[in-house]
PDB file of all heavy atoms in Angstrom:
ATOM      1  N   PRO J 340     101.958  53.124  64.967  1.00 97.00           N
ATOM      2  CA  PRO J 340     101.533  54.418  64.407  1.00 97.00           C
ATOM      3  C   PRO J 340     102.740  55.302  64.105  1.00 97.00           C
ATOM      4  O   PRO J 340     103.836  55.025  64.610  1.00 97.00           O
ATOM      5  CB  PRO J 340     100.698  55.032  65.560  1.00 97.00           C
ATOM      6  CG  PRO J 340     101.219  54.379  66.775  1.00 97.00           C
ATOM      7  CD  PRO J 340     101.691  52.998  66.389  1.00 97.00           C
ATOM      8  N   LEU J 341     102.587  56.302  63.291  1.00 98.00           N
ATOM      9  CA  LEU J 341     103.717  57.100  62.828  1.00 98.00           C
ATOM     10  C   LEU J 341     103.395  58.586  62.989  1.00 98.00           C
ATOM     11  O   LEU J 341     102.349  59.046  62.629  1.00 98.00           O
ATOM     12  CB  LEU J 341     104.009  56.815  61.354  1.00 98.00           C
ATOM     13  CG  LEU J 341     105.150  57.667  60.718  1.00 98.00           C
ATOM     14  CD1 LEU J 341     106.493  57.232  61.273  1.00 98.00           C
ATOM     15  CD2 LEU J 341     105.144  57.536  59.185  1.00 98.00           C
ATOM     16  N   VAL J 342     104.393  59.313  63.503  1.00 98.00           N
ATOM     17  CA  VAL J 342     104.402  60.795  63.486  1.00 98.00           C
ATOM     18  C   VAL J 342     105.396  61.272  62.453  1.00 98.00           C
ATOM     19  O   VAL J 342     106.588  60.922  62.583  1.00 98.00           O
ATOM     20  CB  VAL J 342     104.724  61.393  64.866  1.00 98.00           C
ATOM     21  CG1 VAL J 342     104.813  62.884  64.783  1.00 98.00           C
ATOM     22  CG2 VAL J 342     103.706  60.978  65.891  1.00 98.00           C
ATOM     23  N   VAL J 343     104.967  62.060  61.507  1.00 98.00           N
ATOM     24  CA  VAL J 343     105.859  62.664  60.533  1.00 98.00           C
ATOM     25  C   VAL J 343     106.096  64.101  60.905  1.00 98.00           C
ATOM     26  O   VAL J 343     105.149  64.819  61.216  1.00 98.00           O
ATOM     27  CB  VAL J 343     105.249  62.600  59.122  1.00 98.00           C
ATOM     28  CG1 VAL J 343     106.090  63.360  58.113  1.00 98.00           C
ATOM     29  CG2 VAL J 343     105.086  61.172  58.660  1.00 98.00           C
ATOM     30  N   ARG J 344     107.338  64.517  60.926  1.00 98.00           N
ATOM     31  CA  ARG J 344     107.641  65.933  61.219  1.00 98.00           C
ATOM     32  C   ARG J 344     108.162  66.651  59.996  1.00 98.00           C
ATOM     33  O   ARG J 344     109.165  66.180  59.386  1.00 98.00           O
ATOM     34  CB  ARG J 344     108.648  66.045  62.374  1.00 98.00           C
ATOM     35  CG  ARG J 344     109.038  67.533  62.675  1.00 98.00           C
ATOM     36  CD  ARG J 344     109.734  67.726  63.987  1.00 98.00           C
ATOM     37  NE  ARG J 344     111.058  67.070  64.013  1.00 98.00           N
ATOM     38  CZ  ARG J 344     111.855  67.149  65.095  1.00 98.00           C
ATOM     39  NH1 ARG J 344     111.481  67.766  66.181  1.00 98.00           N
ATOM     40  NH2 ARG J 344     113.047  66.557  65.037  1.00 98.00           N
ATOM     41  N   ALA J 345     107.487  67.720  59.628  1.00 97.00           N
ATOM     42  CA  ALA J 345     108.016  68.634  58.585  1.00 97.00           C
ATOM     43  C   ALA J 345     108.784  69.712  59.250  1.00 97.00           C
ATOM     44  O   ALA J 345     108.244  70.482  60.043  1.00 97.00           O
ATOM     45  CB  ALA J 345     106.882  69.193  57.756  1.00 97.00           C
ATOM     46  N   HIS J 346     110.100  69.800  59.036  1.00 95.00           N
ATOM     47  CA  HIS J 346     110.910  70.773  59.757  1.00 95.00           C
ATOM     48  C   HIS J 346     110.524  72.207  59.368  1.00 95.00           C
ATOM     49  O   HIS J 346     109.990  72.469  58.313  1.00 95.00           O
ATOM     50  CB  HIS J 346     112.409  70.552  59.516  1.00 95.00           C
ATOM     51  CG  HIS J 346     112.866  70.737  58.101  1.00 95.00           C
ATOM     52  ND1 HIS J 346     112.992  71.991  57.541  1.00 95.00           N
ATOM     53  CD2 HIS J 346     113.251  69.871  57.157  1.00 95.00           C
ATOM     54  CE1 HIS J 346     113.419  71.912  56.279  1.00 95.00           C
ATOM     55  NE2 HIS J 346     113.601  70.604  56.029  1.00 95.00           N
ATOM     56  N   GLY J 347     110.870  73.137  60.252  1.00 89.00           N
ATOM     57  CA  GLY J 347     110.629  74.539  60.004  1.00 89.00           C
ATOM     58  C   GLY J 347     111.811  75.180  59.224  1.00 89.00           C
ATOM     59  O   GLY J 347     112.673  74.449  58.746  1.00 89.00           O
ATOM     60  N   GLY J 348     111.766  76.442  59.135  1.00 81.00           N
ATOM     61  CA  GLY J 348     112.893  77.110  58.463  1.00 81.00           C
ATOM     62  C   GLY J 348     112.430  78.138  57.481  1.00 81.00           C
ATOM     63  O   GLY J 348     112.528  79.319  57.745  1.00 81.00           O
ATOM     64  N   LEU J 349     111.900  77.896  56.396  1.00 78.00           N
ATOM     65  CA  LEU J 349     111.812  76.503  55.960  1.00 78.00           C
ATOM     66  C   LEU J 349     113.053  76.018  55.228  1.00 78.00           C
ATOM     67  O   LEU J 349     113.167  74.865  54.889  1.00 78.00           O
ATOM     68  CB  LEU J 349     110.550  76.252  55.109  1.00 78.00           C
ATOM     69  CG  LEU J 349     110.503  76.904  53.719  1.00 78.00           C
ATOM     70  CD1 LEU J 349     109.416  76.156  52.897  1.00 78.00           C
ATOM     71  CD2 LEU J 349     110.157  78.339  53.705  1.00 78.00           C
ATOM     72  N   THR J 350     113.954  76.938  55.002  1.00 84.00           N
ATOM     73  CA  THR J 350     115.254  76.577  54.439  1.00 84.00           C
ATOM     74  C   THR J 350     116.140  76.122  55.580  1.00 84.00           C
ATOM     75  O   THR J 350     116.998  76.826  56.070  1.00 84.00           O
ATOM     76  CB  THR J 350     115.882  77.720  53.656  1.00 84.00           C
ATOM     77  OG1 THR J 350     114.952  78.253  52.704  1.00 84.00           O
ATOM     78  CG2 THR J 350     117.153  77.288  52.919  1.00 84.00           C
ATOM     79  N   GLY J 351     115.922  74.889  56.017  1.00 86.00           N
ATOM     80  CA  GLY J 351     116.626  74.262  57.103  1.00 86.00           C
ATOM     81  C   GLY J 351     116.722  72.786  56.812  1.00 86.00           C
ATOM     82  O   GLY J 351     116.539  72.342  55.719  1.00 86.00           O
ATOM     83  N   GLU J 352     117.020  71.994  57.885  1.00 90.00           N
ATOM     84  CA  GLU J 352     117.082  70.555  57.675  1.00 90.00           C
ATOM     85  C   GLU J 352     116.814  69.802  58.981  1.00 90.00           C
ATOM     86  O   GLU J 352     117.047  70.319  60.049  1.00 90.00           O
ATOM     87  CB  GLU J 352     118.432  70.153  57.109  1.00 90.00           C
ATOM     88  CG  GLU J 352     119.586  70.365  58.049  1.00 90.00           C
ATOM     89  CD  GLU J 352     120.934  69.900  57.465  1.00 90.00           C
ATOM     90  OE1 GLU J 352     121.026  68.682  57.193  1.00 90.00           O
ATOM     91  OE2 GLU J 352     121.876  70.707  57.343  1.00 90.00           O
ATOM     92  N   ALA J 353     116.309  68.593  58.835  1.00 92.00           N
ATOM     93  CA  ALA J 353     116.267  67.664  59.961  1.00 92.00           C
ATOM     94  C   ALA J 353     117.630  67.054  60.137  1.00 92.00           C
ATOM     95  O   ALA J 353     118.290  66.662  59.189  1.00 92.00           O
ATOM     96  CB  ALA J 353     115.237  66.572  59.671  1.00 92.00           C
ATOM     97  N   ARG J 354     118.089  67.015  61.383  1.00 90.00           N
ATOM     98  CA  ARG J 354     119.416  66.527  61.689  1.00 90.00           C
ATOM     99  C   ARG J 354     119.375  65.254  62.526  1.00 90.00           C
ATOM    100  O   ARG J 354     118.501  65.111  63.398  1.00 90.00           O
ATOM    101  CB  ARG J 354     120.212  67.597  62.475  1.00 90.00           C
ATOM    102  CG  ARG J 354     120.367  68.897  61.691  1.00 90.00           C
ATOM    103  CD  ARG J 354     121.050  69.978  62.528  1.00 90.00           C
ATOM    104  NE  ARG J 354     121.159  71.238  61.829  1.00 90.00           N
ATOM    105  CZ  ARG J 354     122.219  71.588  61.084  1.00 90.00           C
ATOM    106  NH1 ARG J 354     123.229  70.734  60.919  1.00 90.00           N
ATOM    107  NH2 ARG J 354     122.239  72.742  60.464  1.00 90.00           N
ATOM    108  N   ALA J 355     120.279  64.352  62.252  1.00 90.00           N
ATOM    109  CA  ALA J 355     120.356  63.070  62.960  1.00 90.00           C
ATOM    110  C   ALA J 355     121.085  63.244  64.260  1.00 90.00           C
ATOM    111  O   ALA J 355     122.212  62.814  64.453  1.00 90.00           O
ATOM    112  CB  ALA J 355     121.023  62.032  62.083  1.00 90.00           C
ATOM    113  N   ILE J 356     120.434  63.895  65.235  1.00 90.00           N
ATOM    114  CA  ILE J 356     121.029  64.089  66.535  1.00 90.00           C
ATOM    115  C   ILE J 356     120.026  63.640  67.602  1.00 90.00           C
ATOM    116  O   ILE J 356     118.858  63.421  67.334  1.00 90.00           O
ATOM    117  CB  ILE J 356     121.382  65.594  66.773  1.00 90.00           C
ATOM    118  CG1 ILE J 356     120.127  66.472  66.733  1.00 90.00           C
ATOM    119  CG2 ILE J 356     122.377  66.059  65.732  1.00 90.00           C
ATOM    120  CD1 ILE J 356     120.380  67.919  67.020  1.00 90.00           C
ATOM    121  N   LEU J 357     120.529  63.460  68.802  1.00 92.00           N
ATOM    122  CA  LEU J 357     119.687  63.019  69.907  1.00 92.00           C
ATOM    123  C   LEU J 357     118.695  64.097  70.312  1.00 92.00           C
ATOM    124  O   LEU J 357     119.088  65.148  70.854  1.00 92.00           O
ATOM    125  CB  LEU J 357     120.533  62.595  71.113  1.00 92.00           C
ATOM    126  CG  LEU J 357     119.802  62.022  72.301  1.00 92.00           C
ATOM    127  CD1 LEU J 357     118.973  60.820  71.919  1.00 92.00           C
ATOM    128  CD2 LEU J 357     120.802  61.642  73.417  1.00 92.00           C
TER     129      LEU J 357
END
Side-chain angles (χ1 to χ4, degrees):
L341 178 71
V342 176
V343 173
R344 178 165 67 179
H346 66 72
L349 69 162
T350 308
E352 66 177 301
R354 300 175 181 271
I356 62 176
L357 182 56

